[in-house]
Amino acid sequence: MSRYNPKEVEPKWQQAWSEAKAFETKDDSAQKKYFVLEMFPYPSGRIHIGHVRNYAMGDVIARYKKACGFNVLHPMGWDAFGMPAENAAMQTGSHPAKWTRSNIEIMRDQLKQMGLSIDWSREFATCDPEYYVHQQRMFLDFWKRGFAYRKESMVNWDPVDQTVLANEQVIDGKGWRSGAPVERRTLSQWFFKITDEADDLLAALDDGRLAGWPENVRTMQKNWIGRSKGLEMKFRFVDGTNAPTGQKDGIEVFTTRPDTLYGASFVAISPDHPIAAALAQNDSGLAGFIAECQKTGTSEEAIEKAEKRGYKLPLEMAHPFDDRKLPVYVANFVLMGYGTGAVFGCPAHDQRDLDFARKYDLPVPPVVLPQDADPTTFTIENESYVGPGAIYNSDFLNGLDTKEAIAKAIAKIEEMGLGKGTTQYRLRDWGVSRQRYWGCPIPAIHCEKCGIVPVPEKDLPVILPEEADFSVPGNPLDRHPTWKHVDCPECGAKARRETDTCDTFVDSSWYFARFASQPESKPVDPKIADYWLPVDQYIGGIEHAILHLLYARYFTRMMKQSGYLTVDEPFANLFTQGMVVHETYRDEKGNWVLPEDVIIEKGTARRLDDGSSVKIGPIEKMSKSKKNVVSPEAIAAQYGADAARWFMLSDSPPERDVEWTDSGVEGAWRLINRVWDTVSAGASAAQNVDLSKPNVTDADKPLRQATHSAIAGITDDIEHFRFNKAIARVYEFLNALKKADKGAGDWAKAEALSALARLISPFIPHLAEECWAVLGGKGLVCDAPWPIADRELLAKDELMIGVQVNGKRRGEIAVAADADKDTVEQVALSDETIKRHIDGLTIRKVVVVPGRIVNIVAN
RNA sequence: GCGGACGUGGUGGAAUUGGUAUACACAACAGACUUAAAAUCUGUCGAGCUACGCUCAUGCGGGUUCAAGUCCCGCCGUCCGCACCA
């Protein structure tokens, strides 16, 4: 018996699949479809073990669904635009396109070596002009429809790298790459009006449209959208107040607690509020205060520690309901980005306002009385009261509960013409402008006379210039000698091309639709896209729970409203898989050490080269910086792709993190050999069996039961994404096969092996093909139908059920599966062991749960 | 602070609706084969005890139930997300 050799077997079957075009999918609308998609990779250079886990999961689903008779679409492509390519260009001088293309070549080969059932004929990269031309086409469409627009917005500007930074790229007020203090700048940028869809994006999370999504992702999106209902209202300047010129007659504030309006004791505005800026022009103290506020970091920690601070303005506001005059402060805790950038302070019922009021010695009038509190003695000390209660000290609101008072206060303010009830979102419009080279150019032209005009459709695509200078920071498109100089398409005068490119999240917001249908002349053919969409199963990392998944949901809505698609939710079922983690190692000098350079014996680790001791650190997400990575190529070279795939799916539930261990992959390798040994030992007998002509005896029953319960169990486990359990059942089946082997006839053995080959094929497809071939199976196992469990065999004639006395398990009895309760009770009561336990006791009650358990209550 | 998830052997984990807790694997130990090792195969493997059996074990403390890892209440701990959001 020859040892299984994946180095020969795996490439052989990969070629066979490719030659048979086994996974090339037809747009056959007569057949029921299944679209399975894993989040497409960024071509960073090589695939990592996390990719293997992600794609192995998708491949199990894809191969299983194909075997079940679905028309399966399982495509692959490349999220190819983005910063790393440009950084590489800056560091090594290699052009981003060249760098990206060569990474794609390498990674495509690596993925093919994993034996994934992918329709490679649909492959594309987002940096292909054939892809992004349609993105530009849609951009123009969205612009025309008002979904895309330009506005001035405050950005983090890195003066050294000459670029806009995302909030996550600002660390302690400094650029993450350059280390230079970040400036705030106002730039005119392109935005998508995602806030227009906020309500529907939110509603779909709850109304069943996303029933196939994990609860935690839906919750995260809900919080991210962050809807709150309240009142937007104006506080008027007191007569005689010297209001800044250009300002209207008051300050707009937003509140969710208009019921506490009588508790107001000040008004506070954000340091970024236009009124603050206007007053700062003639007040250097204020200007200094604002500058200081802007310096404080936006990190969690900085916010936690930041003291509530304010700067009193020479303004006074009139209380809307009585004749109090309220002071106005610029306060560091008021955010310009939420609501109107101004609030009224109600210290008794808001902790921040209370901290502020104590510091600046402002009044703290309570207006909400907790239940059972005494109105004459209730006071606020250092903790505000934010709970429910009855309104008091509040004239026309007195006696109402919070909810009623909110409604009445809003009605009153509306009646007074000072404001109206509104809904606020935490979600901001999606800024898509990036001042980078390696992205999809935004198809617009700036003309002095005509303003910003769209690039005419006949001039699309706007293609990136091949030559560009990456030697200095900044946007290579902006400083390109010729690219941006064009004539205005409307008046013909000299004009300037838009040099912003799209956020790469735009590229990944519709790629799934392009996989479904890729006509030359338009983004998608609606009829074909309609057949394939939505994606039936989407699989990816939890790190995309908010941004990518929200943007794709929004983009799909824009596409629907523009007539490209008919679905509004792109992903019917979402699965977020866990990470691959590994121990970390550091040598005596504190340097990180690669696992392949470490040898571990009896719990102590040392370097492989010089034998010096190595400290084993915590198990963490694999990262290049901590060197706790393993190379999928090395694993595949040693054990084959099947072993790597098998191990990635065994042990841990798919949604949880899995720890990579050498013993784990060795265990997978053992399994592969066990399967091969079992199958090749039975192959010659099986080849002579005609499975279509059953030939069984009673002696075959144990084996056939093992076979059919394996089929039933593994099917159910795959359907429910329990790959670790499915794998455990394969082991159980193998164990049972070995035990039952001797008594069973050739037909039952052949049936078992045939089922085994098909059951493992989603997980370890190369070995499955090899087994299928030696067993004499027809064609390829990847084209073979999924085995079907015989229900009759699953129903056992006799069951072993537990017997409890007073809730404690005391014995076990064998009863016929269809025995009635009385019979079961009699068998239990006459069991010798049970008799001993109830000896001398009076039986009060006997609970019989058919097929499960008997419990005798006695004392 | 708000929201969510989780807590079971030496380890990863299983236990469908409340119904025989610890499937399956890893590690460990013993044995077979071998001159030897590796590989492979067989067996043992929650803890304790006065061991043919009994007692105790699913983070801790209560509760409901004939029966609780599972349901309810209160703690403790770990992880994740969001956060001066008015």
Side-chain angles (χ1 to χ4, degrees), chain A residues 149 151 153-154 167 191-198 201 223-226 335-341 423-432 547 550-551 554:
Chain A
Y149 68 101
K151 79 170 174 191
S153 90
M154 195 90 87
N167 281 330
F191 284 83
F192 283 154
K193 254 187 165 320
I194 191 170
T195 51
D196 273 1
E197 294 294 324
L201 289 166
N223 294 340
W224 187 261
I225 296 167
L335 306 173
M336 194 60 216
Y338 188 77
T340 59
T423 304
Q424 282 289 336
Y425 298 94
R426 211 189 72 96
L427 183 70
R428 316 250 56 92
D429 271 343
W430 175 13
V432 296
L547 296 181
L550 192 61
Y551 291 149
Y554 168 63

Side-chain angles (χ1 to χ4, degrees), chain A residues 230-234 254 410 413-414 417-423:
Chain A
L231 169 68
E232 199 174 308
M233 66 167 288
K234 182 181 288 170
F254 176 73
I410 291 176
I413 292 289
E414 285 179 346
L418 284 177
K420 62 179 195 327
T422 56
T423 304

Side-chain angles (χ1 to χ4, degrees), chain A residues 39 61 76 101 140 142 161 181 193 203 205 209 346 368 413 482 492 513 627 675 702 733 751 777:
Chain A
M39 291 179 185
I61 299 295
M76 181 60 70
R101 294 289 173 193
L140 294 177
F142 296 161
D161 278 355
K193 254 187 165 320
L205 293 168
R209 276 181 278 175
C346 176
V368 183
I413 292 289
T482 55
K627 291 198 176 174
V675 170
F733 184 28
E751 181 194 39

